[in-house]
Amino acid sequence: KEILRGALTQGFVTLIIREFLIKIFYFAGQLFLARLLAPSDFGIYVIIVFVVNLFGLFSDLGLSFAIIQKKEEPTHKELSGVFTLKIFLTACLILLLWIAAPLIKLVYPSLIDSNVLMIQIFSLTLLFTALRSVPIAILERKFRYGRISMLDIIGVIVYYITALPLALTGFGVWSFIIASLIKEIVETIFLYIVNPFLPSFNFKISNIKEMIRFGIFIQGNNLVTFFISSITPVIGGRLVGPHAVGLIDFADNLTSLPAVAGAL
């Protein structure tokens, strides 16, 4: 119990420090980007992220939490089953998003054809997220928060190292899209270096039936949380347009920094 308590305490402190460092990098990077890009560029990106992440919610089914919270150590068959199912669902959702993306202009009339292409390209980040989900869940189960924190911090640094030069050379919203995709690729490569995972692809739903049953309840809570935190792009993007959404999102992230600092 003492060992477990110590690991939990260390993990909690590591996560708080990670969150603070990420917010610092994020805040500094956003300040520079705010000088280079218009608020409407930020707003369009917020809407794109919302649309893609909405589809992405249906690729998980809470299975990552099921791996973390499973009483017994997950077998390789179970982990491989979760991995295979998530990759399959993600691929289907990406295909659906590519087909349905033009219809999103009916919900957000301010979007143009190039924004639709951005949604389609940005949807590829879901694949890399799915590739990382099982290895990250394994790390969380083993309280290896240091590696997770390092992964997140590297991702943020790569993102801004990519986004800032692109914004400076006039790429506009594409600066966010390209930087996000490169960030996902680098994070995935780094994760598989520090925590290799080689799945077997003999998928059987019976191997993970209990994990799916557990995960669905968790995913229901994730859906509620997602929609509560997405009021700005859902309503704002429809009613007031990308310019206002960009300003609101920037202000929201700015005000969250003191809260993280206070947690330290």
Side-chain angles (χ1 to χ4, degrees):
K1 289 184 177 180
E2 289 297 326
I3 296 176
L4 179 60
R5 187 180 296 113
L8 287 172
T9 301
Q10 182 179 2
F12 177 75
V13 172
T14 301
L15 289 176
I16 291 295
I17 294 174
R18 176 198 70 172
E19 189 68 17
F20 181 72
L21 290 175
I22 288 175
K23 286 291 184 182
I24 290 294
F25 283 125
Y26 177 86
F27 177 67
Q30 291 296 88
L31 282 181
F32 283 108
L33 287 175
R35 301 291 296 177
L36 300 172
L37 301 173
S40 58
D41 292 331
F42 285 86
I44 291 171
Y45 179 62
V46 170
I47 294 172
I48 290 172
V49 171
F50 164 74
V51 171
V52 173
N53 285 347
L54 175 61
F55 277 74
L57 280 174
F58 298 97
S59 67
D60 185 79
L61 302 180
L63 291 172
S64 295
F65 287 98
I67 292 174
I68 297 168
Q69 299 189 21
K70 193 173 187 295
K71 290 184 179 180
E72 303 83 12
E73 188 69 24
T75 66
H76 190 263
K77 284 185 177 181
E78 289 174 328
L79 295 174
S80 296
V82 169
F83 182 88
T84 305
L85 179 59
K86 286 170 70 68
I87 293 298
F88 173 75
L89 290 175
T90 300
C92 291
L93 289 167
I94 290 174
L95 178 61
L96 178 61
L97 194 49
W98 274 71
I99 295 171
L103 301 177
I104 294 171
K105 289 197 295 182
L106 298 176
V107 181
Y108 298 106
S110 55
L111 298 184
I112 59 177
D113 290 341
S114 63
N115 300 143
V116 172
L117 178 59
M118 291 174 188
I119 291 173
Q120 293 170 326
I121 298 299
F122 189 77
S123 69
L124 298 177
T125 62
L126 295 178
L127 178 60
F128 295 102
T129 301
L131 287 170
R132 294 198 308 274
S133 60
V134 170
I136 286 180
I138 294 171
L139 288 176
E140 288 197 47
R141 182 179 176 86
K142 296 178 179 179
F143 305 111
R144 304 281 177 82
Y145 294 112
R147 292 184 181 182
I148 298 174
S149 300
M150 188 183 304
L151 175 70
D152 291 337
I153 292 171
I154 288 174
V156 172
I157 293 173
V158 168
Y159 176 82
Y160 284 109
I161 286 177
T162 306
L164 288 170
L166 290 173
L168 187 61
T169 50
F171 276 77
V173 185
W174 280 109
S175 305
F176 298 119
I177 306 301
I178 297 171
S180 296
L181 191 56
I182 293 177
K183 166 185 172 292
E184 294 294 324
I185 293 171
V186 170
E187 285 186 352
T188 303
I189 294 172
F190 177 79
L191 177 62
Y192 274 83
I193 290 174
V194 300
N195 190 48
F197 174 72
L198 183 62
S200 57
F201 292 97
N202 53 341
F203 175 73
K204 291 183 179 179
I205 195 70
S206 58
N207 290 337
I208 58 173
K209 187 183 297 182
E210 291 298 321
M211 298 177 75
I212 292 175
R213 187 177 294 117
F214 173 84
I216 286 176
F217 289 101
I218 300 294
Q219 193 65 4
N221 180 67
N222 290 342
L223 282 169
V224 173
T225 303
F226 175 79
F227 280 109
I228 290 175
S229 62
S230 300
I231 295 297
T232 298
V234 174
I235 299 178
R238 172 70 180 177
L239 298 180
V240 298
H243 183 91
V245 171
L247 292 175
I248 295 171
D249 181 71
F250 185 81
D252 179 65
N253 285 286
L254 182 63
T255 56
S256 68
L257 186 61
V260 178
L264 286 171

